Amino acid sequence: MRIGVIGTGRIGTLHARTLSRHREIGSLILTDADPARAQALAHRLGETAAPGVDEIFTWGVDAVVITTATPAHAELIGRAARSGLPVFCEKPIALDLPGTLQALAEVETAGTILQMGFQRRFDAGYAGAREAVRAGRLGRLHTVRAMTCDQSPPPAEWLPLSGGLFRDTLIHDFDVLRWVTGREAAEVYATGSDGGLPLFREAGDVGTGAVLLTLDDGTLATATATRLNGAGYDVRMELAGERDTVVVGLDDRTPLASTEPTGPPPADKPWTGFLERFGPAYEAELNAFVDVIRGERPNPCDGHEALQALRIAEACEVSRRERRPVPLTDIPNRPRPSDG
């Protein structure tokens, strides 16, 4: 099996390494907007570098992995679909609903595979929480709390391209909230703060955000995020039910310090970023993609799952801008027919 990897930045490098050592993968073709970067990675892995994206589709591959900057995702998904190729794509499909819906329409028309990169679905902690909820161990859920705290902000020049805190960061929490609970968001109320570093204001973004979500069964959930959490990278989810409460992301590397006299000591080596914290999950989702290509398992996270997470993020942006609750019924949920 030959895989084309488009994009060799941080996450593209991680995925290329995973695929290069997979027993079912014969070879990789790597390309990047910076050809020298792709060439260097190909040399380290003993793989082939292509001068551009066109060669990925003309040299002959069996599937494509897309890890480029987000603005290129939708066009590349459509091109792969028209070429009849399975695709793994990092989230999101696009930064807006029209682009997302159009890409999904192309995949549906072609009848091809699109697996999205929401790696938390492959994390042991989130999988354990999902099992606890689905088995009824917690009883009726009454409260869910999700959070994502980056230790340091991304480069200032990248922020205007990111889609904002809700579409870029909290979208992971929105996806895994649906996946763990099995419920849909019915309404959101969101707010954000651009206090702190001026780079957030300059990008028209917020550095901290908070969302109150009402799920379709009445369960209340909160999701908060910040791009500057000096203690370390902190990603958690708490699920409280009438019988029991569980927490995801609480271990000896969680960047927390208790003020209680008998509380646990602070972490000696707190998590510093998402690649470190979710390394095993990233590998597992790529292994799953290979299994999907081979017809050995169903798609664990298709494009429609990504659409639902983006719809929540879009509702949050409307809510923050207009300072009101926004029902999810206000956000489009259906791909339009393909023009081609």
Side-chain angles (χ1 to χ4, degrees):
M1 187 184 300
R2 195 181 202 191
I3 306 292
V5 179
I6 307 175
T8 56
R10 285 187 303 172
I11 194 67
T13 295
L14 180 69
H15 287 339
R17 286 174 177 161
T18 296
L19 293 168
S20 185
R21 62 176 180 260
H22 195 289
R23 66 182 184 276
E24 300 294 343
I25 305 300
S27 63
L28 304 178
I29 301 177
L30 313 178
T31 193
D32 192 90
D34 179 354
R37 183 165 67 176
Q39 183 65 58
L41 179 60
H43 179 73
R44 292 198 300 272
L45 298 179
E47 303 290 355
T48 301
V53 171
D54 288 346
E55 285 76 12
I56 294 290
F57 294 98
T58 59
W59 287 4
V61 295
D62 299 297
V64 175
V65 171
I66 299 171
T67 59
T68 61
T70 298
H73 287 185
E75 191 276 330
L76 289 171
I77 288 170
R79 186 169 182 179
R82 294 188 298 273
S83 299
L85 294 173
V87 173
F88 176 92
C89 184
E90 278 300 323
K91 64 78 190 169
I93 293 173
L95 291 177
D96 59 14
L97 282 169
T100 298
L101 294 172
Q102 180 60 35
L104 286 178
E106 292 215 58
V107 171
E108 286 191 355
T109 298
T112 51
I113 294 167
L114 171 60
Q115 181 181 326
M116 296 302 300
F118 282 104
Q119 87 284 352
R120 295 187 194 181
R121 293 178 176 228
F122 296 87
D123 177 73
Y126 285 104
R130 173 184 164 98
E131 180 182 357
V133 171
R134 304 303 177 89
R137 282 170 38 206
L138 308 185
R140 185 189 70 84
L141 281 179
H142 54 76
T143 309
V144 182
R145 305 176 188 92
M147 63 182 293
T148 295
C149 301
D150 290 326
Q151 184 177 31
S152 55
E157 63 271 16
W158 182 83
L159 280 173
L161 306 175
S162 71
L165 189 69
F166 296 104
R167 297 187 189 94
D168 176 56
T169 300
L170 275 166
I171 198 167
H172 279 290
D173 297 275
F174 301 150
D175 176 72
V176 85
L177 175 65
R178 297 179 59 250
W179 187 73
V180 168
T181 66
R183 311 305 310 190
E184 298 292 343
E187 183 180 86
V188 305
Y189 189 88
T191 188
S193 169
D194 62 2
L197 297 176
L199 57 90
F200 304 119
R201 292 186 294 278
E202 292 167 0
D205 196 7
V206 293
T208 302
V211 186
L212 172 63
L213 306 98
T214 302
L215 305 187
D216 57 9
D217 65 345
T219 299
L220 296 180
T222 59
T224 62
T226 185
R227 293 196 186 275
L228 183 54
N229 188 60
Y233 181 72
D234 192 359
V235 173
R236 280 177 281 137
M237 173 182 273
E238 300 173 10
L239 298 107
E242 293 179 345
R243 293 180 184 172
D244 202 359
T245 298
V246 295
V247 59
V248 179
L250 182 61
D251 59 20
D252 60 358
R253 299 191 64 182
T254 305
L256 290 175
S258 175
T259 60
E260 298 296 334
T262 59
D268 289 333
K269 188 181 178 183
W271 298 109
T272 59
F274 61 92
L275 293 179
E276 182 185 36
R277 164 66 178 86
F278 290 110
Y282 281 117
E283 182 169 350
E285 69 177 357
L286 264 292
N287 291 337
F289 179 56
V290 175
D291 290 343
V292 171
I293 297 171
R294 290 168 54 83
E296 295 174 354
R297 64 173 292 175
N299 191 340
C301 187
D302 66 19
H304 290 279
E305 297 293 302
L307 170 62
Q308 301 315 317
L310 180 63
R311 290 179 66 239
I312 298 173
E314 289 291 317
C316 289
E317 287 290 1
V318 174
S319 178
R320 180 176 73 91
R321 184 172 61 250
E322 300 182 3
R323 298 183 177 227
R324 66 176 178 89
V326 176
L328 266 292
T329 51
D330 287 359
I331 310 299
N333 189 29
R334 183 175 299 175
R336 60 179 179 269
S338 173
D339 295 332

